Amino acid sequence: QVRLQESGPGLVQPSDTLSLTCSVSGSSINKVEYYWGWLRQPPGQRLEYIGSIYYTGTTYYNPSLKSRVTISVDPSTFRYSLHLSAVTAADTAVYYCARRSTGWFYFDIWGPGALVTVSS
Amino acid sequence: DIQLTQSPSFLSASVGDRITITCRASQGIGSYLGWYQQKPGKAPKILIYAASTLYSGVPSRFSGSGFGTEFTLTISSLQPEDFASYYCQHLNNYSTFGGGTKVEIK
């Protein structure tokens, strides 16, 4: 059974970089059928796509966040990471990692989510 | 950018009711539309992809239809576990989501 789990600091200072890691169990990241993605959901708001990465390192980023986002992958450790720079209070959200189908682009397996608060 | 607009934002219904949620795209997206269910404090779950294909394990009371700019999610007979929020997603490399529909018990 494939499982994803987010980990990282729950509190980040304004202007700092938010860093989260997604640990994948039950599957290799080197699967041609999947991308590995990050999404977020501010309190009471809609889901927002952040970006996705293929095991080869190919990435797709949300254009509105692209200048501040880096997603990296290390298949050997079954992990991939999110770095979001220059954060503000508007980046406070529950952050999810999720597996994305390469065929129809849907997210079929999600981590439980990690609340990250941006505050001094 | 393609925008997705869901309606209604809130829906009150009773167990056994048939309900329909609409998602409208600002431009044609073919069949590249998915639907998710989300319960409070939980991650979303995929229900439907390709506008009308039921994801494995999802009950058959859920169905989707549509093409181009207008799509619908229908629950044929609402069950207690179906009271949740529902989101549509444009299925592409730069996924956008609709604003959500919260289904509440009447």
Side-chain angles (χ1 to χ4, degrees), chain A residues 47-116:
Chain A
L47 292 156
E48 181 179 31
Y49 170 76
I50 299 172
S52 298
I53 190 164
Y54 201 50
Y55 74 95
T56 58
T58 298
T59 53
Y60 291 95
Y61 295 139
N62 182 332
S64 68
L65 297 171
K66 186 175 182 178
S67 64
R68 299 194 292 131
V69 173
T70 302
I71 297 175
S72 58
V73 65
D74 185 350
S76 67
T77 62
F78 297 85
R79 294 178 181 177
Y80 64 104
S81 298
L82 167 70
H83 300 282
L84 179 67
S85 64
V87 296
T88 69
D91 295 308
T92 294
V94 175
Y95 285 76
Y96 295 100
C97 60
R99 187 179 78 172
R100 198 198 83 185
S101 162
T102 54
W104 278 98
F105 304 96
Y106 57 83
F107 293 94
D108 62 346
I109 302 205
W110 296 63
L115 174 62
V116 179

Side-chain angles (χ1 to χ4, degrees), chain A residues 41 46 49 100 104 107, chain B residues 36 38 87 91 93 95 97:
Chain A
Q41 188 171 34
R46 73 177 66 191
Y49 170 76
R100 198 198 83 185
W104 278 98
F107 293 94
Chain B
Y36 295 80
Q38 186 179 32
Y87 293 90
L91 300 175
N93 278 321
S95 307
F97 288 83

Side-chain angles (χ1 to χ4, degrees), chain A residues 21-29 73-80:
Chain A
T21 296
C22 184
S23 299
V24 180
S25 59
S27 171
S28 166
I29 285 183
V73 65
D74 185 350
S76 67
T77 62
F78 297 85
R79 294 178 181 177
Y80 64 104

